[in-house]
Amino acid sequence: MELRQLRYFVAIVDHGSLSRAARVLHIAQPALTQQVRQLEEELEAQLLHRSAQGVIATDAGKTFYEHAQAILKQVTDAKSAVAQSNDKPSGTVALGIPQSVSGALALPLLTAIRATYPEITLLLTEELTGNLIVQLKSGRINLAVLFDDGQLSPFASTPMVEEEMMYITRADSQYGAGKKKSVTLAQAIKAPLILPGLQHGVRPRIENIVRAQGMSLDNVIEINSVAILKSAILADIGATILPVAPLLSEIERGDMIALPISGERMARTLALCASKNIPLTNAAAAVERLVLDVTDDLCRKGKWLHAEGLARE
């Protein structure tokens, strides 16, 4: 198996066509087809499904595509690490951010990168936490902001921030708390709660807190999209328990209200994580430091609402 075969295969899947991939790669289509056939013979699996409309990856091909992307990225990172200097880091760095964090961190970070490291290209990936973990393990991304649920031992992790989680509803919701300044946990879980699935984000944290109080979540609507979650709250289908960051614009406009949950500390901790097995390039290490600096600055100036920067060793 050769690196060029991996590049060829990724290009075919990306373009959905052997002919288009051949033009982009500047090789003859029969030669490209032969390389794919050799790969399939070596792997003893069909990687592509061919039709009149083009080509798509088979299930085996999708798995191989993920690994091929990760390998090619690590090769690029290795070349970049050798070429770049400590004084002027350059290259491409892929950073994964959960959907519920990007509203607070993404734009300030992009602005800081352009001002501080203009020769670094930052690729921001906004994903669900579970997907970010898979990508970080495989090497497809260099860094990821993850929720510290006590299971980050496979990664090199640095504490970032602790965010308070609040009870959030439509401003005139039937699930609102009237003129109350806060709600209890028991009151909050009486409403239909719109939450991410158990494998993602804040849900396991909320479940553990509720269970520790001898209660249970019996009326949950699972939605793994911040955009759809917003729409569901505005349609008054239910309420949610989340940090305010992903819903800040709606809260500031007065479309939603956020109330603290009294009697129980509802918070989540975020950590900046990297692989223990894949060394960071100089550029990735520079981005790592900058993410922490930007986070501290946002918390210190009160621009990351209901969030507190965490001490580090």
Side-chain angles (χ1 to χ4, degrees), residues 1 13 15 20 37-38 74 102 127 141 148 168 184 201 204 208 213 224-225 236 259 271 288 295 307:
M1 189 180 302
V13 175
H15 291 282
R20 284 196 293 271
R37 187 176 298 116
Q38 290 177 3
Q74 290 178 45
S102 63
E127 284 273 11
I141 56 179
D148 188 353
I168 302 172
T184 65
N208 290 338
Q213 294 299 314
N224 288 327
S225 162
D236 207 24
L259 297 174
E288 181 182 44
T295 297

Side-chain angles (χ1 to χ4, degrees), residues 12-13 23 46 124 150-151 188 199 222 235-236 287 290 310 313:
I12 293 169
V13 175
R23 287 196 297 272
Q46 182 180 346
L124 277 180
Q151 301 183 48
Q199 71 275 32
E222 289 193 358
D236 207 24
V287 170
L290 192 60
L310 297 174
E313 295 181 359

Side-chain angles (χ1 to χ4, degrees), residues 6-83:
L6 302 186
R7 283 193 287 268
Y8 292 168
F9 179 74
V10 168
I12 293 169
V13 175
D14 286 345
H15 291 282
S17 164
L18 281 161
S19 59
R20 284 196 293 271
R23 287 196 297 272
V24 170
L25 295 167
H26 303 292
I27 68 171
Q29 185 173 333
L32 184 60
T33 301
Q34 178 62 25
Q35 292 294 327
V36 173
R37 187 176 298 116
Q38 290 177 3
L39 263 181
E40 291 180 324
E41 290 174 356
E42 182 174 350
L43 295 170
E44 298 182 350
Q46 182 180 346
L47 301 177
L48 297 172
H49 176 72
R50 300 158 179 84
S51 70
Q53 289 72 41
V55 296
I56 59 172
T58 62
D59 288 344
K62 291 174 182 176
T63 299
F64 185 71
Y65 175 80
E66 298 292 331
H67 286 280
Q69 278 191 316
I71 292 168
L72 292 173
K73 186 179 187 314
Q74 290 178 45
V75 170
T76 300
D77 285 350
K79 292 178 179 178
S80 178
V82 172

Side-chain angles (χ1 to χ4, degrees), residues 77-243:
D77 285 350
K79 292 178 179 178
S80 178
V82 172
Q84 64 187 236
S85 69
N86 287 319
D87 295 333
K88 197 174 184 180
S90 62
T92 299
V93 178
L95 168 67
I97 301 181
Q99 293 177 339
S100 59
V101 174
S102 63
L105 184 60
L107 185 56
L109 181 58
L110 286 170
T111 302
I113 283 286
R114 294 184 65 182
T116 311
Y117 299 114
E119 308 222 358
I120 293 179
T121 299
L122 181 64
L123 299 180
L124 277 180
T125 298
E126 184 187 71
E127 284 273 11
L128 296 167
T129 310
N131 297 338
L132 292 178
I133 289 173
V134 172
Q135 292 181 36
L136 188 60
K137 284 182 177 178
S138 70
R140 290 175 57 199
I141 56 179
N142 303 99
L143 299 161
V145 176
L146 299 176
F147 306 118
D148 188 353
D149 56 359
Q151 301 183 48
L152 295 183
S153 57
F155 306 112
S157 61
T158 305
M160 285 179 59
V161 65
E162 186 175 74
E163 286 186 293
E164 183 180 1
M165 294 190 289
M166 307 189 79
Y167 180 70
I168 302 172
T169 68
R170 195 175 77 180
D172 59 348
S173 173
Q174 61 181 312
Y175 308 112
K179 296 182 179 181
K180 292 182 180 179
K181 300 295 185 181
S182 65
V183 297
T184 65
L185 182 59
Q187 290 170 333
I189 66 173
K190 284 182 180 179
L193 287 180
I194 306 168
L195 299 171
L198 279 167
Q199 71 275 32
H200 297 297
V202 300
R203 178 72 177 280
R205 173 68 175 152
I206 296 171
E207 290 271 1
N208 290 338
I209 292 173
V210 170
R211 195 177 302 115
Q213 294 299 314
M215 297 180 283
S216 62
L217 293 179
D218 299 320
N219 193 3
V220 174
I221 303 166
E222 289 193 358
I223 295 179
N224 288 327
S225 162
V226 171
I228 298 174
L229 182 144
K230 287 182 181 182
S231 298
I233 293 174
L234 291 173
D236 207 24
I237 292 174
T240 192
I241 297 176
L242 281 179

